Amino acid sequence: SWVVAAPVAVVAGAGLWSSLWFGSTAAVVRALGAVAADEDRDPRPFTLAEGLCAGMGLTLPVIRVAEDPWPAALALGLRRGDATVVVTRGLLDLLDPVELEGVLAHELVHLKRADTAPVTAAVALLLPLASLVPAGGDLLHRLAGAGREFETDGLAVGVTRYPPGLSQALGTMVDAGRRLGPDGSPLVAGHAGRLTRWLWTAVLGDPPTGEALVGELDAPATRIAALDEW
């Protein structure tokens, strides 16, 4: 009867909401294979993020590293308490300090604007179905909003006051994509990588360089051209 079903539905809904609210970020981090960064081994992201956070009025997020050759970064989190920035080993190996600062500023702007909450929850919901929904990455891109990355670039270079840093970082990512190819990275080849492909600083996957994304505001080539004009 509805007298029994209604309370059960409320309890089930509350349980789903709770699991999403408290577990989404951890679920996505696990799927990406990212672990807590070691400040002794990788001091640069901590030093740069601390300086940026001080100027942006942010608490330093958890910094995690995915041992992956593809240079990329991603901000996650539903609330301030689980704000997380994931960087790949490729990003730390290939970017110089100025480029890395631009990328971190970009991801911290996402956290500042709290636009990571809906996409983090959506990724966690779609992860179990990622292998069955090959277009899930494009669906998430539409959910996040076209131009999300383009707009964030402008706010990020307003923080660093040096547009060439982020522009050069995007160029480095594009060049690495040409060398690695669409199947050259475990992260990109995996379901979690394909699902989140539009949420990283530069779009991941096939085509790796983003050159075929004609008319796409968030394509790396479009953003590089805009940054070079700012």
Side-chain angles (χ1 to χ4, degrees):
S1 90
W2 67 268
V3 176
V4 175
V8 170
V10 170
V11 171
L16 177 60
W17 179 89
S18 179
S19 64
L20 276 176
W21 185 252
F22 292 104
S24 291
T25 303
V28 178
V29 165
R30 284 195 302 272
L32 295 172
V35 299
D38 183 345
E39 190 169 0
D40 292 331
R41 180 186 179 186
D42 299 306
R44 286 194 308 157
F46 288 93
T47 302
L48 292 171
E50 285 172 355
L52 291 167
C53 286
M56 298 171 69
L58 287 173
T59 301
L60 183 69
V62 176
I63 298 177
R64 297 185 179 274
V65 177
E67 294 294 337
D68 192 282
W70 200 292
L74 168 69
L76 298 167
L78 269 72
R79 60 195 192 283
R80 290 187 181 273
D82 71 349
T84 301
V85 173
V86 177
V87 297
T88 63
R89 179 59 56 191
L91 189 85
L92 298 178
D93 288 345
L94 293 176
L95 267 59
D96 65 31
V98 174
E99 293 172 343
L100 183 57
E101 181 185 46
V103 170
L104 290 174
H106 177 101
E107 298 308 325
L108 290 172
V109 166
H110 282 309
L111 294 175
K112 179 78 172 179
R113 301 176 70 193
D115 66 13
T116 59
V119 293
T120 301
V123 172
L125 278 173
L126 289 175
L127 270 174
L129 304 174
S131 61
L132 305 175
V133 187
D138 295 328
L139 175 64
L140 280 174
H141 182 45
R142 290 193 293 273
L143 172 66
R148 174 180 185 256
E149 304 305 317
F150 183 94
E151 184 178 356
T152 301
D153 285 346
L155 296 172
V157 298
V159 174
T160 63
R161 301 188 182 279
Y162 191 67
L166 183 53
S167 174
Q168 291 163 13
L170 291 172
T172 299
M173 294 176 188
V174 167
D175 291 340
R178 291 194 182 100
R179 294 194 303 273
L180 290 169
D183 297 318
S185 162
L187 182 151
V188 175
H191 296 313
R194 287 194 291 270
L195 185 60
T196 57
R197 64 189 295 262
W198 280 104
L199 305 181
W200 297 80
T201 312
V203 59
L204 301 180
D206 187 16
T209 64
E211 291 173 345
L213 305 173
V214 178
E216 173 54 63
L217 193 59
D218 289 326
T222 304
R223 294 162 57 199
I224 289 171
L227 286 165
D228 289 344
E229 292 294 325
W230 289 344

